[in-house]
Amino acid sequence: AAAVSLAGRNSYMSKLPPAGSAAPSAAPDPPKPTAYGAAAMTDLVDEIQWSSCECLNAASKDGLGRVMKQGLRDQEDLLLESDADEQLLLTIAFKGPMKVHSLQVDAPSDGRAPKEVKLFVNCPSLDFDDAEGRHAQQQLELAAEQLGTRLPLDFVKFQSVQTLSLFVVSNQEEGEVSALSGVRLWGTAVATTNMTEFKRVAGEKGEGE
């Protein structure tokens, strides 16, 4: 019985890894999944064509830059304020077609923050008369607690945006002046083929003719 027990012990010992040998390496971490949805969207500030942007009924000519440009939009005391009445019409132009996913509006908490906002796509010459009568791609009714938060848009309606117009119809306390301190947009560029960079596969022009 002792011989059988010793043989069994030797058999067990033979299954153990030799002393000092490295333990089997752990399996590598699986690759991170590709970002999608909101996680795949980036700040569109670098995609804006500033020379083609405008803001109607603003109290100052540089108001749009104050609330949208990097380094200025984070300063709460730099405001875009309306002039003749409470309405504002911001038209933001992009360097190329964009898919716009979400929007954030920052504003003071004194009742001048936007309440009703209409969004229009690809209407570069939009004026107040047009904005009043035209059907908007989306209409937002902003509650005070939504200010300063990222709000998803109806994404399917913002798939090829060259210009985006924000029509501020009213403010939180129905006052005569509306004010914003920041506007942020998230999205992604529409994939397009740049034909100027397209290389001829068959050879140079005229070859083989």
Side-chain angles (χ1 to χ4, degrees), residues 18-206:
S21 63
S25 58
D29 294 334
K32 294 182 179 180
T34 303
Y36 65 96
M41 303 301 158
T42 59
D43 190 330
L44 294 180
V45 65
D46 292 332
E47 303 295 339
I48 296 175
Q49 188 72 46
W50 297 107
S51 61
S52 299
C53 298
E54 68 173 353
C55 184
L56 302 182
N57 195 38
S60 60
K61 292 182 179 179
D62 62 343
L64 185 61
R66 290 183 184 183
V67 298
M68 294 204 70
K69 288 186 176 180
Q70 200 77 266
L72 298 178
R73 63 186 183 181
D74 297 315
Q75 301 183 41
E76 295 182 358
D77 57 331
L78 293 181
L79 299 176
L80 167 58
E81 298 173 294
S82 63
D83 188 14
D85 57 22
E86 76 280 9
Q87 296 187 338
L88 285 163
L89 183 55
L90 294 69
T91 296
I92 302 156
F94 297 103
K95 298 174 182 177
M98 297 288 144
K99 296 181 179 183
V100 183
H101 175 272
S102 43
L103 159 77
Q104 178 175 316
V105 175
D106 300 309
S109 57
D110 57 7
R112 294 183 295 163
K115 182 178 182 180
E116 183 182 353
V117 179
K118 294 181 179 180
L119 305 178
F120 299 90
V121 170
N122 299 338
C123 300
S125 302
L126 193 71
D127 59 23
F128 284 106
D129 289 338
D130 293 334
E132 290 280 6
R134 187 186 295 261
H135 176 72
Q137 268 66 40
Q138 188 166 351
Q139 182 169 332
L140 304 174
E141 194 80 14
L142 299 177
E145 59 269 17
Q146 291 178 303
L147 298 167
T149 64
R150 182 174 171 178
L151 305 173
L153 301 179
D154 191 352
F155 195 34
V156 297
K157 297 180 180 179
F158 299 86
Q159 289 295 296
S160 185
V161 182
Q162 193 70 56
T163 64
L164 178 66
S165 299
L166 283 71
F167 175 32
V168 177
V169 181
S170 62
N171 54 53
Q172 295 290 319
E173 293 188 358
E174 305 297 334
E176 294 184 359
V177 177
S178 296
L180 301 87
S181 60
V183 176
R184 302 168 192 255
L185 299 167
W186 287 268
T188 185
V190 175
T192 57
T193 301
N194 186 346
M195 297 307 294
T196 63
E197 297 177 357
F198 182 76
K199 296 181 180 179
R200 292 173 58 87
V201 177
E204 297 298 330
K205 183 177 180 180

